Amino acid sequence: MKKALTFVIPVRHQDNARDWGKLKSNLTATVKSIASQESTDWKAIIVANRGADLPALPAGFDVKWVDFESNPLHEQGSVDKEIFYEAVRLDKGRRILAGMLHAGPMQHVMVVDDDDFISNKLAALAASNPQANGWYIREGYVWGDGSNYVYRFADFSKLCGTCYLIRADLYELPASFEQASDEYIKRMLGSHIFIRDFLESNGKPLAPVPFVGAVYRVGHVGSHSKSTSVFTQYFPKWLVKRPVELLRRLRRLSFISPSMRREYFGE
């Protein structure tokens, strides 16, 4: 049965994980976040290499097992930055494609990175607007792993890959995995930086999600971006010499309230 929103969660090859225990713990938290949707009109597909030790999954989740080789260029800094990005886009995009093809009929699709969190209102948004092209998350939170604070980021879709809900037909998926070119996989699926402009140029613009839509986890050992903590990123020492900018940023910093824990963390 077609659901209003299908979540696809690509999980890297276990040989590419610096700490599989931490990855599994992060994935468990992401699963909990997804499973807390206010609407039941959703399903989720985790894409993982055969043999991966996944956490227990609640109702609504399915696993697409794949036999992809590990990505030899998975560590940033080991090669030229663009070569690294292209390798990550191909690896991630292949997993997303496998998950979408496995899912069957879909209304809207959202790719969720295996360490992020989402608002529990997203499935209801898709369910109430079945013909919409989709949405991008304009405002989201940045959360330092283990912190009690979040930082509201005003251009979230340019920061984090967990940022789009797109009507499935707009992906123009191939009939089979083998029919997809590497270029299609990298540009349409493997990165979040191309598809919004592509859709807009083809007369299918995305609308902004009308609430804070997701939480980007930073500062943990498994991060591809090698991101640092919220305070290190957004409150460097030089800000003390720019009090107006410091005040502006402090206004974007929030203590994680019980209602936020329910909406994003499934608590």
Side-chain angles (χ1 to χ4, degrees):
M1 180 180 176
K2 183 193 295 188
K3 293 290 189 177
L5 186 55
T6 299
F7 300 104
V8 177
I9 307 99
V11 176
R12 73 189 67 183
H13 194 290
Q14 45 268 48
D15 290 349
N16 291 152
R18 289 177 233 165
D19 182 340
W20 186 265
K22 180 60 176 173
L23 186 152
K24 183 177 177 181
S25 173
N26 290 347
L27 177 59
T28 299
T30 298
V31 165
K32 185 178 181 181
S33 172
I34 292 172
S36 71
Q37 291 297 299
E38 291 180 340
S39 168
T40 59
D41 203 355
W42 63 272
K43 63 182 177 182
I45 311 295
I46 291 179
V47 186
N49 263 74
R50 207 173 304 279
D53 177 26
L54 298 181
L57 300 173
F61 281 79
D62 189 12
V63 179
K64 169 58 179 175
W65 296 106
V66 296
D67 294 299
F68 299 145
E69 294 181 358
S70 60
N71 175 15
L73 304 177
H74 69 285
E75 284 288 351
Q76 186 170 345
S78 59
V79 291
D80 175 81
K81 185 177 290 188
E82 191 55 34
I83 293 174
F84 162 76
Y85 285 142
E86 287 289 277
V88 170
R89 288 165 188 158
L90 182 59
D91 181 60
K92 181 177 181 180
R94 292 170 74 200
R95 297 172 188 278
I96 293 168
L97 177 58
M100 287 185 177
L101 292 175
H102 177 78
M106 300 179 292
Q107 178 187 298
H108 285 85
V109 187
M110 182 178 193
V111 176
V112 180
D113 288 342
D114 63 12
D115 54 359
D116 293 334
F117 307 87
I118 60 170
S119 168
N120 62 10
K121 302 175 184 177
L122 292 176
L125 175 66
S128 62
N129 299 274
Q131 299 305 317
N133 295 331
W135 301 265
Y136 68 94
I137 294 179
R138 177 168 54 191
E139 284 208 326
Y141 292 119
V142 183
W143 176 66
D145 198 11
S147 172
N148 289 319
Y149 293 87
V150 289
Y151 183 81
R152 194 173 78 254
F153 198 86
D155 203 359
F156 191 80
S157 67
K158 294 184 179 178
L159 175 72
C160 175
T162 304
C163 62
Y164 295 132
L165 297 77
I166 298 175
R167 206 175 70 223
D169 64 289
L170 299 183
Y171 277 105
E172 301 178 359
L173 290 173
S176 69
F177 187 90
E178 292 71 24
Q179 293 179 21
S181 69
D182 286 356
E183 194 64 19
Y184 168 86
I185 289 172
K186 290 186 290 187
R187 295 299 180 267
M188 292 292 286
L189 302 173
S191 173
H192 66 283
I193 65 173
F194 305 110
I195 192 166
R196 183 173 158 197
D197 288 342
F198 170 81
L199 292 174
E200 188 161 349
S201 67
N202 282 276
K204 302 292 184 181
L206 303 177
V209 170
F211 46 84
V212 179
V215 178
Y216 176 37
R217 183 201 295 254
V218 299
H220 67 88
V221 68
S223 172
H224 261 314
S225 63
K226 295 189 176 180
S227 55
T228 55
S229 73
V230 168
F231 288 98
T232 301
Q233 284 184 269
Y234 301 112
F235 295 93
K237 293 179 180 179
W238 57 260
L239 269 183
V240 297
K241 298 180 179 179
R242 296 179 59 183
V244 175
E245 176 63 14
L246 175 60
L247 180 60
R248 186 188 72 84
R249 295 193 185 191
L250 284 171
R251 286 173 175 166
R252 290 187 167 272
L253 193 68
S254 300
F255 182 78
I256 302 176
S257 66
S259 64
M260 290 170 65
R261 292 191 181 277
R262 286 192 298 271
E263 180 173 351
Y264 301 98
F265 299 91
E267 297 180 3

